[in-house]
Amino acid sequence: MNRFWSKRIQNIVPYTPGEQPKDRQFIKLNTNECPYSPSPKVIEAINRAAGDSLRLYPDPECVELRAAIAKREGLDINRVFCGNGSDEILAFAFQAFFDPDREVVFPKITYSFYPVYTDFFGLKRREVPMNPDFSDPIDLLCGNNGGVVLANPNAPTGIAVGLGTVEKLLNANPDVVVIVDEAYIDFGADSAVSLIGRYPNLLVVQTTSKSRALAGLRVGWAMGDAGLIDGLRCVRDSINSYTVDRLAQAGAAAAIRDEDYFQSIRRRVMDTRSWTEKSLKEKSFTVLNSQANFVFASHPNHSGKELLDGLRERGILVRWWDKPEIRNWLRISIGTDEDMEALVQALGELI
């Protein structure tokens, strides 16, 4: 700890991103990136935008991008907010909607950025234990809180809840904001966007990073009641009005408009996921029912750390957490068919 650090960050444990190796070639199945290239229309749009206009600030309101999202989702544009990745939007939302004197609640096993945000912003939190099957403890998220955060599908489990469950949360928490983090929604789950018109306390957050193959572009968006969008705008404009650069806005808008390409790559990922689940189960792995672009798997005779290290020695990266509840589990991103065949072969050697 540096003596010049503020008291706010002296005891913070920051988020740890997945390894991005630079020294050798790996099959990267550890960061839930898309294994396929972005739409060619995205590259064309970025190339067109990379001209003399770069000397000018980008549109702070991201009007073109918001219009593309609003049209696709059937929303008014004033119900859409864009930011520099969904992580930034979540950080804005934690500041905009949660107060220090009331607990933010979320499942104990979920996206590990949520507790980092509560610590950094000086918020109280209550992490609710999972059900024995790793499904979300929905009843314990209902009432007596200052806000709810639900990743749907959840990470790292991949398990999703239906719209009826999301409505249960919204009805049980009418006076606080319920954030539904839909980073992985496009791989088989049902989006809560259709509920926005009926629930002014619902904020839905999505991203281009997964199903649109644009993790490197850093674009995300939130959808909700216009009052919630204004709250996000208030936080943004108190920090940095120009969070989404000109190239990112152009590329993301093109990705949103290219529906055919989006549908094709998400289907490929889902098909490969099904094959991977079947292949792992044939080798005695327990695999949770995933509706994300990854699987969560455990073997009865080999620890998660043992398999993690063995795969790395064979040039394959996956994700593991040293937490008691999930220490024997691996989160495995879905790569190409060839990537997953290599994974299954390597695991066969290890077990």
Side-chain angles (χ1 to χ4, degrees):
M1 180 180 70
N2 190 291
R3 67 187 180 93
F4 295 111
W5 287 14
S6 73
K7 291 180 181 179
R8 190 219 300 258
I9 71 166
Q10 285 178 3
N11 297 313
I12 293 288
V13 179
Y15 174 77
T16 303
E19 180 183 0
Q20 297 285 1
K22 298 179 176 64
D23 59 338
R24 58 172 286 191
Q25 288 295 112
F26 285 93
I27 296 175
K28 280 187 81 277
L29 305 177
N30 64 327
T31 50
N32 298 341
E33 295 152 322
C34 182
Y36 305 111
S37 300
S39 162
K41 294 180 180 178
V42 170
I43 308 304
E44 293 170 6
I46 291 174
N47 287 336
R48 286 195 301 270
D52 180 68
S53 61
L54 288 178
R55 64 188 174 82
L56 305 172
Y57 284 111
D59 174 11
E61 294 299 332
C62 305
V63 171
E64 179 188 3
L65 175 55
R66 289 168 57 223
I69 296 166
K71 180 178 180 180
R72 183 181 188 274
E73 301 294 347
L75 298 171
D76 293 332
I77 193 172
N78 66 349
R79 291 187 170 185
V80 181
F81 176 90
C82 294
N84 185 23
S86 59
D87 287 338
E88 178 184 74
I89 291 174
L90 289 167
F92 287 171
F94 273 61
Q95 295 171 84
F97 308 124
F98 301 149
D99 290 321
D101 58 344
R102 301 192 66 192
E103 288 180 327
V104 180
V105 297
F106 44 82
K108 188 172 184 180
I109 303 301
T110 190
Y111 186 28
S112 52
F113 232 137
Y114 302 157
V116 175
Y117 290 142
T118 56
D119 287 344
F120 187 76
F121 298 125
L123 302 169
K124 298 177 183 178
R125 69 172 180 268
R126 185 169 76 249
E127 298 178 68
V128 180
M130 310 300 289
N131 294 326
D133 61 356
F134 286 110
S135 61
D136 288 317
I138 297 300
D139 287 344
L140 299 180
L141 301 175
C142 292
N144 190 31
N145 63 71
V148 180
V149 187
L150 182 76
N152 190 39
N154 195 19
T157 66
I159 297 174
V161 301
L163 290 184
T165 299
V166 175
E167 284 202 83
K168 179 178 179 178
L169 278 178
L170 292 164
N171 285 317
N173 301 285
D175 299 319
V176 300
V177 172
V178 175
I179 299 174
V180 182
D181 183 356
E182 294 187 345
Y184 303 101
I185 197 69
D186 296 319
F187 300 102
D190 294 323
S191 174
V193 170
S194 62
L195 303 178
I196 287 173
R198 293 169 22 219
Y199 294 96
N201 60 327
L202 170 62
L203 188 76
V204 178
V205 180
Q206 295 186 4
T207 178
T208 60
S209 294
K210 317 301 181 184
S211 56
R212 290 178 172 82
L214 290 174
L217 206 62
R218 311 309 304 131
V219 176
W221 58 94
M223 296 168 284
D225 183 80
L228 298 185
I229 300 305
D230 286 342
L232 293 174
R233 187 179 291 112
C234 177
V235 173
R236 179 199 66 195
D237 292 345
S238 300
I239 299 171
N240 174 17
S241 294
Y242 301 101
T243 61
V244 187
D245 69 64
R246 187 178 293 273
L247 303 186
Q249 290 188 41
I256 297 297
R257 289 192 289 260
D258 195 349
E259 185 71 17
D260 289 344
Y261 190 84
F262 160 75
Q263 294 291 346
S264 70
I265 62 172
R266 83 181 187 99
R267 278 196 297 266
R268 291 174 72 182
V269 170
M270 292 165 66
D271 289 345
T272 305
R273 181 186 68 202
S274 296
W275 179 88
T276 302
E277 290 173 340
K278 179 175 180 293
S279 299
L280 291 177
K281 288 177 181 178
E282 289 173 352
K283 296 187 180 301
S284 300
F285 279 86
T286 298
V287 185
L288 300 187
N289 181 30
S290 174
Q291 291 182 278
N293 66 337
F294 56 83
V295 295
F296 204 47
S298 176
H299 196 276
N301 301 323
H302 300 270
S303 72
K305 186 62 163 61
E306 174 190 348
L307 295 175
L308 172 85
D309 293 341
L311 287 171
R312 199 180 200 287
E313 290 173 359
R314 288 162 173 77
I316 301 173
L317 299 180
V318 296
R319 197 77 191 267
W320 172 79
W321 286 268
D322 189 12
K323 296 182 177 180
E325 301 91 344
I326 56 173
R327 189 172 287 139
N328 286 325
W329 293 77
L330 297 177
R331 192 197 69 189
I332 304 168
S333 304
I334 300 301
T336 63
D337 290 345
E338 293 76 17
D339 291 339
M340 305 319 289
E341 288 167 5
L343 167 84
V344 170
Q345 179 179 340
L347 286 172
E349 296 170 1
L350 287 168
I351 65 174

